[in-house]
Amino acid sequence: MSNRRFKLLFPITLLAVVACNEMPVEAPGAPEPAFTRVAPPPALTPHTVADVLVRSGALSAPAPARNANFGVPMVNVPGRMLPGEIVYIGQGCFADAYLGDPSGKIALIQRGFCRFDEKVTRAEAAGAIGVIVFNNVGDAILTMGGITANAIPAVFIGQTNGLTLAAASPTSGVIEWNPFDPLAGVVSQLQAAGVLNVGQTRSLTQKLANAKAAAGSGDDAGALDLLTSFVDQVNAFVQAKLIAEADGAFLTAVATGIIASLTP
């Protein structure tokens, strides 16, 4: 080997040795465990989501309400909305004198002393176009039971809102079938609790807003598609452990109830 060839190879060999010495060597150790998402605890307290709202200028916010299990459901009322003058008539039993004339109006009646369907039957006979019964023992929202079928809608609201309407009687108002806004309010509780972020909350509430618009325009099929998409997304959030199973079950149960109301 000539001196010239040795001079060319030596720098290359030296660089290779230096490069090998500079390569990092990983220390042996156990692999890191895979990340496992843990679902948050339930954030929603047990409560009832109304499927009807009573709106009036006398109220600071819409009053949540429930349909009676007799009479005409608000979902079947033309336009799913009943506007009119609300007039307080007292307890509305057959033995009671009316405090106002309900003819052509929405009769506001206090709970107590006789059956719900008796109150509604008498109001209907007096010409009322609808009935609002309010609780006399608190703000719990009940589903009124009875055996007499009525041809007018009847809904139940809490005591606080009922007394407010009674104090303002007669006052204009409207009963509307609207389960979408109350459900959206429950979804927003998950964001307030730090369970869902803004984007996740908006995705769910926008589906409900679009379903409300579709149902309001008579596009029940479109509303059903959006509600089904809402249920699917809630279930996906449960599977991803973003929300608790109990919260997911509550949301899907309410949405399924709306679907049942809209299904022919």
Side-chain angles (χ1 to χ4, degrees), residues 114-187:
C114 63
R115 290 187 348 204
F116 292 123
D117 55 351
E118 178 180 325
K119 296 173 184 286
V120 178
T121 296
R122 187 182 178 202
E124 180 183 358
I129 61 174
V131 170
I132 301 170
V133 178
F134 66 91
N135 208 338
N136 62 346
V137 288
D139 286 328
I141 303 172
L142 310 178
T143 299
M144 296 184 290
I147 59 175
T148 303
N150 298 103
I152 60 174
V155 302
F156 190 91
I157 63 175
Q159 184 179 37
T160 300
N161 287 318
L163 291 175
T164 300
L165 289 173
S169 174
T171 182
S172 61
V174 60
I175 306 172
E176 67 174 32
W177 181 77
N178 179 5
F180 305 100
D181 290 350
L183 182 54
V186 174
V187 173

Side-chain angles (χ1 to χ4, degrees), residues 101 105 127 172 252:
D101 180 10
K105 303 170 186 175
S172 61
T252 56

Side-chain angles (χ1 to χ4, degrees), residues 30-168:
E32 294 185 4
F35 174 74
T36 302
R37 181 182 292 276
V38 178
L44 302 176
T45 56
H47 60 286
T48 301
V49 175
D51 55 357
V52 176
L53 296 177
V54 175
R55 300 183 185 274
S56 171
L59 299 171
S60 59
R66 301 289 292 178
N67 274 299
N69 65 5
F70 55 87
V72 179
M74 281 301 304
V75 69
N76 294 337
V77 172
R80 291 166 178 159
M81 186 174 295
L82 180 66
E85 185 175 73
I86 301 172
V87 58
Y88 178 50
I89 61 174
Q91 290 179 330
C93 301
F94 284 122
D96 298 321
Y98 276 175
L99 302 180
D101 180 10
S103 180
K105 303 170 186 175
I106 299 171
L108 177 66
I109 305 175
Q110 183 176 345
R111 176 190 182 190
F113 293 98
C114 63
R115 290 187 348 204
F116 292 123
D117 55 351
E118 178 180 325
K119 296 173 184 286
V120 178
T121 296
R122 187 182 178 202
E124 180 183 358
I129 61 174
V131 170
I132 301 170
V133 178
F134 66 91
N135 208 338
N136 62 346
V137 288
D139 286 328
I141 303 172
L142 310 178
T143 299
M144 296 184 290
I147 59 175
T148 303
N150 298 103
I152 60 174
V155 302
F156 190 91
I157 63 175
Q159 184 179 37
T160 300
N161 287 318
L163 291 175
T164 300
L165 289 173

